[in-house]
PDB file of all heavy atoms in Angstrom:
ATOM      1  N   PHE A 223     -62.249 147.921 -12.657  1.00  0.00           N
ATOM      2  CA  PHE A 223     -61.664 149.158 -12.949  1.00  0.00           C
ATOM      3  C   PHE A 223     -60.727 149.041 -14.150  1.00  0.00           C
ATOM      4  O   PHE A 223     -59.917 148.181 -14.236  1.00  0.00           O
ATOM      5  CB  PHE A 223     -60.837 149.736 -11.682  1.00  0.00           C
ATOM      6  CG  PHE A 223     -60.374 151.179 -11.813  1.00  0.00           C
ATOM      7  CD1 PHE A 223     -61.347 152.134 -11.703  1.00  0.00           C
ATOM      8  CD2 PHE A 223     -59.128 151.456 -12.006  1.00  0.00           C
ATOM      9  CE1 PHE A 223     -61.034 153.533 -11.860  1.00  0.00           C
ATOM     10  CE2 PHE A 223     -58.791 152.824 -12.190  1.00  0.00           C
ATOM     11  CZ  PHE A 223     -59.671 153.798 -12.173  1.00  0.00           C
ATOM     12  N   ARG A 224     -60.834 150.067 -14.980  1.00  0.00           N
ATOM     13  CA  ARG A 224     -60.109 150.046 -16.240  1.00  0.00           C
ATOM     14  C   ARG A 224     -59.206 151.306 -16.324  1.00  0.00           C
ATOM     15  O   ARG A 224     -59.524 152.384 -16.032  1.00  0.00           O
ATOM     16  CB  ARG A 224     -61.044 150.075 -17.508  1.00  0.00           C
ATOM     17  CG  ARG A 224     -61.871 148.855 -17.589  1.00  0.00           C
ATOM     18  CD  ARG A 224     -62.260 148.621 -19.101  1.00  0.00           C
ATOM     19  NE  ARG A 224     -62.188 147.118 -19.314  1.00  0.00           N
ATOM     20  CZ  ARG A 224     -62.628 146.621 -20.374  1.00  0.00           C
ATOM     21  NH1 ARG A 224     -63.283 147.251 -21.330  1.00  0.00           N
ATOM     22  NH2 ARG A 224     -62.558 145.202 -20.607  1.00  0.00           N
ATOM     23  N   ALA A 225     -57.868 151.003 -16.631  1.00  0.00           N
ATOM     24  CA  ALA A 225     -56.943 152.033 -16.847  1.00  0.00           C
ATOM     25  C   ALA A 225     -56.564 152.080 -18.369  1.00  0.00           C
ATOM     26  O   ALA A 225     -56.308 150.894 -18.830  1.00  0.00           O
ATOM     27  CB  ALA A 225     -55.795 152.006 -16.047  1.00  0.00           C
ATOM     28  N   PRO A 226     -56.348 153.141 -18.999  1.00  0.00           N
ATOM     29  CA  PRO A 226     -55.960 153.175 -20.457  1.00  0.00           C
ATOM     30  C   PRO A 226     -54.499 152.869 -20.549  1.00  0.00           C
ATOM     31  O   PRO A 226     -53.719 153.036 -19.554  1.00  0.00           O
ATOM     32  CB  PRO A 226     -56.307 154.513 -20.923  1.00  0.00           C
ATOM     33  CG  PRO A 226     -56.153 155.374 -19.650  1.00  0.00           C
ATOM     34  CD  PRO A 226     -56.485 154.506 -18.554  1.00  0.00           C
ATOM     35  N   ALA A 227     -54.100 152.735 -21.755  1.00  0.00           N
ATOM     36  CA  ALA A 227     -52.631 152.976 -22.071  1.00  0.00           C
ATOM     37  C   ALA A 227     -52.535 154.237 -22.861  1.00  0.00           C
ATOM     38  O   ALA A 227     -53.501 154.811 -23.258  1.00  0.00           O
ATOM     39  CB  ALA A 227     -52.146 151.786 -22.960  1.00  0.00           C
ATOM     40  N   LEU A 228     -51.346 154.862 -22.783  1.00  0.00           N
ATOM     41  CA  LEU A 228     -51.176 156.093 -23.495  1.00  0.00           C
ATOM     42  C   LEU A 228     -51.099 155.921 -24.986  1.00  0.00           C
ATOM     43  O   LEU A 228     -50.343 155.062 -25.365  1.00  0.00           O
ATOM     44  CB  LEU A 228     -49.975 156.776 -22.942  1.00  0.00           C
ATOM     45  CG  LEU A 228     -49.722 158.214 -23.297  1.00  0.00           C
ATOM     46  CD1 LEU A 228     -50.769 159.248 -22.552  1.00  0.00           C
ATOM     47  CD2 LEU A 228     -48.322 158.700 -22.988  1.00  0.00           C
ATOM     48  N   PRO A 229     -51.882 156.695 -25.736  1.00  0.00           N
ATOM     49  CA  PRO A 229     -51.559 156.612 -27.075  1.00  0.00           C
ATOM     50  C   PRO A 229     -50.247 157.069 -27.436  1.00  0.00           C
ATOM     51  O   PRO A 229     -50.020 158.261 -27.322  1.00  0.00           O
ATOM     52  CB  PRO A 229     -52.769 157.336 -27.812  1.00  0.00           C
ATOM     53  CG  PRO A 229     -53.708 157.600 -26.798  1.00  0.00           C
ATOM     54  CD  PRO A 229     -53.026 157.556 -25.507  1.00  0.00           C
ATOM     55  N   ILE A 230     -49.250 156.336 -27.930  1.00  0.00           N
ATOM     56  CA  ILE A 230     -47.915 156.668 -28.220  1.00  0.00           C
ATOM     57  C   ILE A 230     -47.645 156.566 -29.693  1.00  0.00           C
ATOM     58  O   ILE A 230     -47.752 155.623 -30.343  1.00  0.00           O
ATOM     59  CB  ILE A 230     -47.015 155.804 -27.372  1.00  0.00           C
ATOM     60  CG1 ILE A 230     -47.072 156.037 -25.747  1.00  0.00           C
ATOM     61  CG2 ILE A 230     -45.476 156.015 -27.869  1.00  0.00           C
ATOM     62  CD1 ILE A 230     -46.208 155.388 -25.124  1.00  0.00           C
ATOM     63  N   ASP A 231     -47.142 157.678 -30.309  1.00  0.00           N
ATOM     64  CA  ASP A 231     -46.888 157.684 -31.714  1.00  0.00           C
ATOM     65  C   ASP A 231     -45.983 156.589 -32.153  1.00  0.00           C
ATOM     66  O   ASP A 231     -46.338 155.952 -33.091  1.00  0.00           O
ATOM     67  CB  ASP A 231     -46.306 159.076 -32.114  1.00  0.00           C
ATOM     68  CG  ASP A 231     -47.406 160.281 -32.183  1.00  0.00           C
ATOM     69  OD1 ASP A 231     -48.506 159.851 -32.021  1.00  0.00           O
ATOM     70  OD2 ASP A 231     -46.957 161.299 -32.530  1.00  0.00           O
TER      71      ASP A 231
END
Side-chain angles (χ1 to χ4, degrees):
Chain A
F223 189 73
R224 291 203 142 169
L228 191 70
I230 290 178
D231 279 1

